[in-house]
Amino acid sequence: AQKITQTQPGMFVQEKEAVTLDCTYDTSDPSYGLFWYKQPSSGEMIFLIYQGSYDQQNATEGRYSLNFQKARKSANLVISASQLGDSAMYFCAMREGSGAGTASKLTFGTGTRLQVTL
Amino acid sequence: GAGVSQSPSNKVTEKGKDVELRCDPISGHTALYWYRQSLGQGLEFLIYFQGNSAPDKSGLPSDRFSAERTGGSVSTLTIQRTQQEDSAVYLCASSLAWRKNIQYFGAGTRLSVL
C-alpha cells in the first residue's frame, strides 16, 4: 500500500488566488513527520513546511500553511496569494519515527505539478 | 556555499562503465541521505549515513550500488557496471537528525547511461 498519496497530478491556479494541494498518508507509527517540498524546473528540492504528528497547531510558513487532519490522515498544503514563481512540482513526504537523535528516510508521494496563470 | 553540494551536475556514461557521484553535505549535519528520482519510479530512498552508525542500505537496488562517507562528511555513491535503467537524477540530502530532522537537498546529479 502506498504510504503517501497525492491524487492531483496537475493543478492550475490564477495568480493571487489560493490553492490547496492534497496529501494523504498511511502509517501505524504514532510518531511521524510530514514535509512538503517544492521542485522547480531547475530540479532542486526546496523544503517548504513541516508538521509533526504531535503538533497541536497547523504549521505555517509565510504563504504556506499545512492543513493537518490527523484522524483523516491528511496533510494538505495551502498556498495563499499564488505567484508565477510558485509554478513547480510539489511533493508531500513522510518520516516515520520521531526523528530526534536518529536519521530516518523520507517516503515521497508522486507529486503535483502546479501551474500559476495570469 | 552553505547548502548541499553535488558533483558532477551531469554525467553521461556508457553502459558497463563505473561512475562515482559526490555529495558534500551542509557543515555540521550528522546525517546524509541518497535518493534517486526517475520517471518510472518517482523518488526512491537509497541509503543513509548517520554519525558513526552503520549505514541503512535498505534502499540500494542491487549490489552494483555502494556508498561511503569519509570522515563523517563527504559521501560518494558508486554505481558499477552501469545499466540503462540506472539513468536518473541522484539527489543527496543532509540533516541534523534532531527534532524536526529536516532534510535539505542538493541540486542533484543527472546520470545518463547510453
Side-chain angles (χ1 to χ4, degrees):
Chain A
Q2 290 213 2
K3 290 200 171 187
I4 297 285
T5 303
Q6 294 181 256
T7 58
Q8 306 153 314
M11 291 279 286
F12 286 89
V13 64
Q14 278 196 319
E15 196 180 20
K16 300 178 187 175
E17 297 294 310
V19 63
T20 298
L21 307 184
D22 295 341
C23 173
T24 58
Y25 60 92
D26 183 28
T27 181
S28 57
D29 195 326
S31 182
Y32 52 90
L34 297 159
F35 303 77
W36 278 91
Y37 286 87
K38 172 184 178 181
Q39 189 176 44
S41 55
S42 60
E44 189 164 356
M45 296 285 283
I46 302 168
F47 166 73
L48 294 178
I49 196 166
Y50 167 85
Q51 180 84 42
S53 59
Y54 293 116
D55 293 345
Q56 295 295 312
Q57 293 190 325
N58 287 345
T60 59
E61 290 283 351
R63 294 187 298 111
Y64 304 108
S65 60
L66 202 151
N67 183 0
F68 181 45
Q69 297 188 43
K70 195 169 181 177
R72 296 180 59 186
K73 293 190 173 179
S74 75
N76 299 339
L77 176 70
V78 181
I79 305 174
S80 63
S82 296
Q83 301 172 357
L84 293 177
D86 294 335
S87 295
M89 279 290 284
Y90 288 81
F91 291 94
C92 180
M94 177 174 66
R95 178 207 67 231
E96 290 174 299
S98 70
T102 182
S104 184
K105 69 179 183 181
L106 293 178
T107 302
F108 286 86
T110 51
T112 296
R113 183 169 297 281
L114 178 67
Q115 185 68 46
V116 181
T117 61
L118 292 169
Chain B
V4 176
S5 178
Q6 291 188 247
S7 61
S9 54
N10 283 283
K11 176 73 175 178
V12 180
T13 190
E14 294 179 350
K15 178 182 171 182
K17 301 278 190 183
D18 297 352
V19 295
E20 287 188 349
L21 312 179
R22 176 188 167 106
C23 174
D24 200 344
I26 293 171
S27 177
H29 278 191
T30 55
L32 185 149
Y33 312 77
W34 285 97
Y35 294 85
R36 178 169 71 173
Q37 186 174 24
S38 56
L39 283 175
Q41 301 297 323
L43 271 152
E44 309 171 87
F45 164 75
L46 297 177
I47 185 171
Y48 75 68
F49 301 86
Q50 185 192 349
N52 296 320
S53 302
D56 179 342
K57 304 179 183 180
S58 61
L60 294 178
S62 78
D63 58 9
R64 296 186 296 104
F65 288 72
S66 63
E68 62 177 17
R69 188 179 185 191
T70 54
S73 181
V74 172
S75 176
T76 302
L77 177 69
T78 301
I79 309 173
Q80 296 179 310
R81 305 181 303 281
T82 52
Q83 304 294 313
Q84 288 184 331
E85 61 263 28
D86 299 335
S87 295
V89 176
Y90 290 82
L91 292 164
C92 176
S94 69
S95 75
L96 275 172
W98 187 250
R99 296 182 68 189
K100 296 180 180 180
N101 203 342
I102 296 167
Q103 295 182 25
Y104 295 94
F105 284 79
T109 294
R110 181 175 296 277
L111 176 66
S112 300
V113 182
L114 304 180

